[in-house]
Every structure is written in C-alpha cells, then in structure tokens.
Amino acid sequence: MYAEQANKLVLDAKRIQNLPHLPPYAATTVRAVTKEVRDLDREVSNLIAPYNSSTTQSSDGTQIKSSFNPADDPATACALLVNHLSMRRNKRCLLAYHHTRTDKLEEMCWSGVDVSEIQQASASSGRQSGGATSSLSAEEEQYVHQYSDLLAAYKGQWTDIDLTGSVEPPKDIFIDVRVLKDAGEIQTEYGSITLTKNSQFYVRQADVERLIQQGYLQRLS
C-alpha cells in the first residue's frame, strides 16, 4: 500500500515528542519512502508520455501538441491522481519526521545540553536499540553543531542574562540537590564545591540550574 512506510515515520515522530533523547535515525525507512516517491514519479511520467509525444493537425495545417483529457481516459486519470496524492503524502510525512527531530535537537540545545552530550546520549540510545554508534544522521550532526554555534553567538550578546534559563521565577532561593554523575568543581557565589556522584548539597538554585537541566544534579523535594 502506498505511503505505508511514510506512516511509520509519522508514528516515530509522534513517539519522539515524548522521549528525553532522540531514537536512532530511521535511515532505512527514509530511503524506502524516497524510493517510492521516485518510483511513483517515474510511473506518472510513463503514463503521461504518450500524450506529450503525440500531435494533431488543425484545420489550417498547424501541428498542435496533444494534451491529456481526463474525461477521455478515466482509468489513467485515476492512476495519475492516486500517484500524485501518494507522492504528496510521502513528502509531507518526510518533512514532518525531520522537522520533529530538528525541533528536538534545538530544544536540547536551548536547555543547555552540549553538542558532545547530545551525541553521547544518542549513541547510548542507538546501542540500546541495537543500532549504530550514533542515532544522529550525518546531516543532523552537522546541523546541531552549526545551530549550537549560532546559539552561542546569540547568547554572547547578553552575557549578564541566561537566555536558556527557566522563565518561571524560583520559589526557593536555596535548594537541596543530589549529584547523579561527577561534574567536577564549580564556582558559586559562596565559594567552590566539588560535585561527586551521590553527594548532596544545599546550594543556591541559580548556581546549579544549568547542571540540573543537563542531568548532572537532581533536585530533592
């Protein structure tokens, strides 16, 4: 059935919206959908070719190129319509799938996740699913690098404002946090602290908010 593979991409895109990391890029499915589009386009060209190559002669002897009249051949008209709608649906499904993945990548960049961490998280996701070492396509890796550079340049104009921070005002100035993974030494307004795994601290929220977003720390209730 036409667009069956494309429907898998739509379902995958819907699942991506609720996942913390990107699942492996569906390269095989994407290639299958693009191949189907090319095959349908070739079939359309073959169906319409006889009408593009034939000519008729007018009353004054002028050669007029014939055009396809759907009323004269309903079967061909129906086949052309089905092929056209199938190609259009495939293309829209491809756009939706890639748009969802790029939105997820941009969201991760804005939340303060480093490019290398995105690649490590995607690689971990790929290994769990039995896939390759990275779940990002080559184009996605290039995109996230360039987007991160643009975002860094944009944020650099306002060094006193954390544009990636939460827009919600904090309810508590100081919070309890647990270290989920080693983050080394950080400087705070009240001195330096060393964040080692499983240790707990009572710190100012503004000093560790980025580390919470990146998954190094967990806020305790």
Side-chain angles (χ1 to χ4, degrees), residues 5 23 60 85 96 99 140 148 160 162 171 175 184 199 208 219:
Q5 294 295 321
D60 59 357
L85 293 178
H99 183 69
E140 287 175 335
S148 296
D160 296 333
D162 184 8
K171 296 180 180 179
I175 59 174
S199 58
V208 297
R219 180 174 179 174

Side-chain angles (χ1 to χ4, degrees), residues 13-99:
K14 184 177 181 180
R15 184 170 63 93
I16 288 172
Q17 295 176 336
N18 300 318
L19 294 176
H21 300 296
L22 279 175
Y25 180 75
T28 302
T29 307
V30 169
R31 284 195 294 268
V33 175
T34 53
K35 180 180 182 301
E36 184 176 287
V37 171
R38 289 194 296 268
D39 291 342
L40 288 169
D41 181 64
R42 190 179 304 110
E43 185 176 340
V44 167
S45 299
N46 292 335
L47 287 171
I48 208 73
Y51 300 94
N52 291 334
S53 59
S54 62
T55 58
T56 58
Q57 188 173 2
S58 64
S59 57
D60 59 357
T62 304
Q63 296 291 325
I64 302 175
K65 193 172 184 178
S66 299
S67 60
F68 175 68
N69 185 358
D72 296 337
D73 193 347
T76 301
C78 181
L80 290 172
L81 178 62
V82 170
N83 288 0
H84 172 74
L85 293 178
S86 298
M87 285 190 291
R88 183 178 179 182
R89 177 175 175 80
N90 279 344
K91 291 178 181 179
R92 291 184 65 85
C93 290
L94 284 168
L95 288 172
Y97 176 73
H98 289 92
H99 183 69

Side-chain angles (χ1 to χ4, degrees), residues 114-136:
D114 188 74
V115 174
S116 60
E117 294 177 2
I118 295 177
Q119 293 173 325
Q120 290 173 3
S122 67
S124 175
S125 175
R127 285 192 296 269
Q128 291 175 2
S129 61
T133 56
S134 176
S135 65
L136 300 181

Side-chain angles (χ1 to χ4, degrees), residues 168-173 205 219:
E168 297 292 334
K171 296 180 180 179
D172 302 306
I173 297 178
Q205 181 174 345
R219 180 174 179 174

Side-chain angles (χ1 to χ4, degrees), residues 66-209:
S66 299
S67 60
F68 175 68
N69 185 358
D72 296 337
D73 193 347
T76 301
C78 181
L80 290 172
L81 178 62
V82 170
N83 288 0
H84 172 74
L85 293 178
S86 298
M87 285 190 291
R88 183 178 179 182
R89 177 175 175 80
N90 279 344
K91 291 178 181 179
R92 291 184 65 85
C93 290
L94 284 168
L95 288 172
Y97 176 73
H98 289 92
H99 183 69
T100 301
R101 289 183 66 90
T102 53
D103 277 353
K104 194 72 173 181
L105 289 172
E106 292 174 7
E107 177 185 333
M108 295 170 73
C109 290
W110 274 98
S111 64
V113 180
D114 188 74
V115 174
S116 60
E117 294 177 2
I118 295 177
Q119 293 173 325
Q120 290 173 3
S122 67
S124 175
S125 175
R127 285 192 296 269
Q128 291 175 2
S129 61
T133 56
S134 176
S135 65
L136 300 181
S137 67
E139 291 77 11
E140 287 175 335
E141 291 184 1
Q142 181 182 6
Y143 178 81
V144 75
H145 272 287
Q146 294 179 350
Y147 188 86
S148 296
D149 292 341
L150 286 174
L151 183 58
Y154 177 69
K155 291 189 297 182
Q157 302 177 56
W158 295 279
T159 56
D160 296 333
I161 303 176
D162 184 8
L163 296 177
T164 59
S166 174
V167 296
E168 297 292 334
K171 296 180 180 179
D172 302 306
I173 297 178
F174 289 87
I175 59 174
D176 288 303
V177 296
R178 176 185 290 116
V179 182
L180 300 179
K181 51 185 177 180
D182 295 338
E185 183 178 335
I186 65 169
Q187 296 294 328
T188 70
E189 185 178 347
Y190 301 94
S192 62
I193 58 176
T194 302
L195 302 176
T196 56
K197 187 176 181 179
N198 296 326
S199 58
Q200 295 186 18
F201 297 94
Y202 184 67
V203 293
R204 196 172 67 135
Q205 181 174 345
D207 291 333
V208 297
E209 186 173 17

